Amino acid sequence: MTEPDFLQDTRQSYDAIADEYVAFEHGDLEAKPLDRAMLAGFAEMVQAGGGGPVAEVGCGTGRVTAHLAGLGLSVSGIDLSPGMLAVARRQHPDLRFDEGSMLALDLPDNSLSGVVAWYSTIHVPLELLPVAFAEFHRVLAPGGHLLAAFQVGDGPLRLEEAFGRQVSLDFHRRQPDQMADLLDRAGLPVRARLVREPYEGKFAERTPQAFLVARKSAAEAPA
């Protein structure tokens, strides 16, 4: 089956900027205490539910995957871009990183205790978000948690150049209520949310940032 154009564009764009991107993002989590707090809360909820495997879907260079591992989670990363995965494996050789798409995860049903989509759904067009969220629901075990981070706003930001290289990327800004409604329809009702104002300085942001924690019902017994 032919994959959507945005997947090809996203893969090729991140392949082109992978080496520059790892330097650009270096130290960003250390500069963002509220972001770290959401990751820590997610990790604690997964552990309180008995632990188990976690996947960061759209892991990029693996910095969040590594941060979650440092919080005690059994976590691996999945990404579209071989270039970004090469950086992730080089930066974090003790962790597992696999190539894949959130629209068709190569994972068994009910196999994960947690899924993290840290600024990765932002490249998915609205009409395909239900497909991604259905995949998150499928791979999560009953009681499993999802943490999603994204920029708040309406409409996409189009980038055709980054770090002096040609890219083709749409960053879809979305409203938290819209995302929460789509997650609820996928069987992942939101249990917590944070919206913070943009940071300034080295890691300046254009828009507010949102973080949603959703959970698959523990009553959904595996078929």
Side-chain angles (χ1 to χ4, degrees):
M1 184 172 64
T2 302
E3 67 178 12
D5 288 344
F6 89 91
L7 286 179
Q8 299 180 46
D9 291 343
T10 302
R11 179 187 297 110
Q12 292 168 4
S13 296
Y14 279 109
D15 281 350
I17 63 173
D19 289 332
E20 290 84 1
Y21 196 84
V22 69
F24 165 76
E25 68 181 3
H26 179 71
D28 76 326
L29 279 179
E30 291 78 2
K32 298 175 179 178
L34 292 176
D35 300 32
R36 296 198 311 275
M38 292 303 293
L39 291 165
F42 169 82
E44 190 169 333
M45 285 186 282
V46 170
Q47 290 162 336
V54 173
E56 188 197 355
V57 180
C59 64
T61 62
R63 78 194 192 287
V64 171
T65 315
H67 185 81
L68 291 167
L71 294 173
L73 294 184
S74 175
V75 60
S76 60
I78 299 169
D79 202 86
L80 274 176
S81 164
M84 296 292 263
L85 289 169
V87 172
R89 291 166 182 147
R90 186 168 67 242
Q91 295 278 316
H92 311 289
D94 54 329
L95 298 177
R96 177 176 174 176
F97 296 97
D98 295 310
E99 186 175 345
S101 164
M102 69 176 66
L103 301 182
L105 293 167
D106 187 18
L107 293 168
D109 296 355
N110 306 302
S111 60
L112 297 179
S113 295
V115 170
V116 175
W118 196 257
Y119 295 96
S120 54
T121 63
I122 61 174
H123 299 302
V124 180
L126 180 61
E127 65 271 17
L128 289 176
L129 271 184
V131 178
F133 292 166
E135 277 293 273
F136 295 166
H137 178 273
R138 179 184 68 79
V139 301
L140 279 170
H145 291 87
L146 165 72
L147 171 61
F150 55 96
Q151 296 99 343
V152 177
D154 299 292
L157 168 69
R158 177 73 174 176
L159 273 190
E160 297 183 346
E161 186 275 335
F163 308 109
R165 298 179 183 272
Q166 182 178 348
V167 298
S168 180
L169 288 171
D170 287 321
F171 296 79
H172 297 279
R173 299 161 170 172
R174 297 186 167 110
Q175 295 297 330
D177 286 346
Q178 176 191 36
M179 290 285 281
D181 180 62
L182 290 170
L183 287 167
D184 187 66
R185 294 184 190 188
L188 296 167
V190 169
R191 308 295 295 271
R193 68 179 71 191
L194 169 70
V195 177
R196 65 161 176 79
E197 293 304 307
Y199 281 122
E200 300 177 350
K202 178 181 178 182
F203 299 105
E205 298 158 332
R206 295 181 174 94
T207 68
Q209 311 291 302
F211 308 85
L212 302 180
V213 177
R215 186 177 185 230
K216 182 174 177 176
S217 172
E220 293 189 38

